[in-house]
Amino acid sequence: MRPLPRPLQALITWTAILPLVLLASAIAAPVTVGWPDPLRTALVITVVVPVAVFWAVPTLAKATQRMRGVPAEVVDAACSVRPMQASLSSEQGR
């Protein structure tokens, strides 16, 4: 499966991150009243980045591939996460 074009990857990432940042900021606002901006930003980023990397961006990328006509089996095979142990043992066997 060919990777998505870079501009489309950027759009997907932006589309995933913007709502997450807005939501996390709104939830954190009452708790972080009076905190310095860098500390408040660090808290929001600590929540948003893992959610974006491990869930939101991959989900949107899969949906985009499906909308572009790539069969579901191909998308699932290309986007599946291999267990850490299996990938380590396959690299050691090389």
Side-chain angles (χ1 to χ4, degrees), residues 12 51-66 75:
I12 289 169
V51 172
V53 168
F54 294 110
W55 177 74
V57 173
T59 301
L60 286 175
K62 281 183 181 182
T64 302
Q65 289 284 25
R66 296 286 307 280
V75 173

Side-chain angles (χ1 to χ4, degrees), residues 20-44:
L20 291 173
V21 167
L22 294 174
L23 180 64
S25 295
I27 291 171
V31 177
T32 59
V33 171
W35 287 23
D37 285 340
L39 190 56
R40 185 178 313 125
T41 302
L43 174 68
V44 170

